[in-house]
Amino acid sequence: DAGVIQSPRHEVTEMGQEVTLRCKPISGHNSLFWYRQTMMRGLELLIYFNNNVPIDDSGMPEDRFSAKMPNASFSTLKIQPSEPRDSAVYFCASGPDGRPGYGYTFGSGTRLTVV
Amino acid sequence: DAKTTQPTSMDCAEGRAANLPCNHSTISGNEYVYWYRQIHSQGPQYIIHGLKNNETNEMASLIITEDRKSSTLILPHATLRDTAVYYCIVRGGSNYKLTFGKGTLLTVNP
């Protein structure tokens, strides 16, 4: 099992540019999460998908952020336009079920720097 | 979800057992206790979870008090690679959300 795969590992972009982060969850997992980690705010849940459907996007900072899950094996998080305050490490996680009693597996993250 | 309280940091000698405490005095009956850790520059890693009974897996043991108001994660033989931030999280009911606090920075010393 290759685990949760995220790409790219590092992204440096200029303010105003569009950024797309990618995630491949573990096969068979029906729950997918996007988290963001900063020194100031720690780990924050951005959005939760269950069976490819967005269930909770209350953590998405603003309209500049959007996430999609077109199929069970792929999800994207897009920021357009990007701003310096979006600089953070973005993690994708997947789980076999969103209900309690199951652990989630996190990817290695994408470190985004907006200059 | 119930709030958890963990020490900010702990030290442990290599080869010794590391015992990481967590208080969750407001835990409710259907809430599980989860432990994750985050090694520097990596994603959080699931370690173990439990509801009422003590649990053990290849990574660690989880001891939950009878009243379920606190728990202890035990790494039986800590190595330098166990240096990480350890998060105790309570989650239950229909809640899918993992809410991370500040955790405990465990430093394993040679």
Side-chain angles (χ1 to χ4, degrees):
Chain A
D1 186 355
V4 176
I5 300 172
Q6 292 187 244
S7 64
R9 287 297 309 275
H10 302 274
E11 177 80 41
V12 180
T13 191
E14 292 186 347
M15 181 174 61
Q17 296 298 305
E18 176 180 297
V19 176
T20 299
L21 312 182
R22 297 172 175 81
C23 174
K24 177 177 169 57
I26 291 175
S27 177
H29 283 186
N30 71 348
S31 293
L32 185 137
F33 307 82
W34 283 99
Y35 278 81
R36 178 173 68 175
Q37 187 172 32
T38 61
M39 287 292 293
M40 290 294 293
R41 300 174 68 90
L43 276 159
E44 303 174 282
L45 176 65
L46 299 178
I47 188 167
Y48 163 54
F49 290 89
N50 185 263
N51 291 322
N52 312 338
V53 176
I55 303 299
D56 181 0
D57 65 355
S58 59
M60 296 286 263
E62 46 197 275
D63 292 345
R64 298 185 297 105
F65 285 68
S66 63
K68 294 182 179 179
M69 192 164 185
N71 56 63
S73 60
F74 184 64
S75 177
T76 60
L77 178 67
K78 184 178 295 186
I79 308 173
Q80 166 63 18
S82 57
E83 297 182 2
R85 60 188 167 133
D86 302 329
S87 297
V89 182
Y90 291 81
F91 292 104
C92 176
S94 71
D97 197 296
R99 292 173 294 169
Y102 299 89
Y104 300 153
T105 302
F106 283 74
S108 299
T110 295
R111 181 176 296 277
L112 174 65
T113 303
V114 183
V115 297
Chain B
D1 285 335
K3 181 180 172 60
T4 62
T5 304
Q6 300 179 250
T8 302
S9 63
M10 295 182 65
D11 286 319
C12 178
E14 188 177 20
R16 303 297 294 270
N19 296 278
L20 292 94
C22 179
N23 285 321
H24 31 79
S25 58
T26 60
I27 193 169
S28 60
N30 64 354
E31 290 183 313
Y32 288 77
V33 180
Y34 293 80
W35 284 83
Y36 284 75
R37 73 180 182 183
Q38 188 172 25
I39 296 170
H40 182 61
S41 298
Q42 297 183 21
Q45 177 187 22
Y46 164 78
I47 301 173
I48 199 168
H49 74 275
L51 183 62
K52 295 180 182 178
N53 300 320
N54 299 337
E55 302 287 345
T56 295
N57 63 20
E58 64 277 6
M59 289 183 67
S61 294
L62 174 60
I63 307 298
I64 302 174
T65 58
E66 192 169 341
D67 63 7
R68 302 210 321 125
K69 293 184 176 183
S70 65
S71 61
T72 301
L73 178 75
I74 301 173
L75 308 179
H77 305 287
T79 70
L80 299 179
R81 289 175 293 181
D82 292 321
T83 292
V85 177
Y86 288 76
Y87 298 97
C88 171
I89 301 169
V90 172
R91 184 170 77 96
S94 59
N95 190 4
Y96 46 81
K97 191 179 296 187
L98 279 178
T99 302
F100 289 85
K102 297 188 182 302
T104 296
L105 172 60
L106 173 69
T107 302
V108 181
N109 300 304

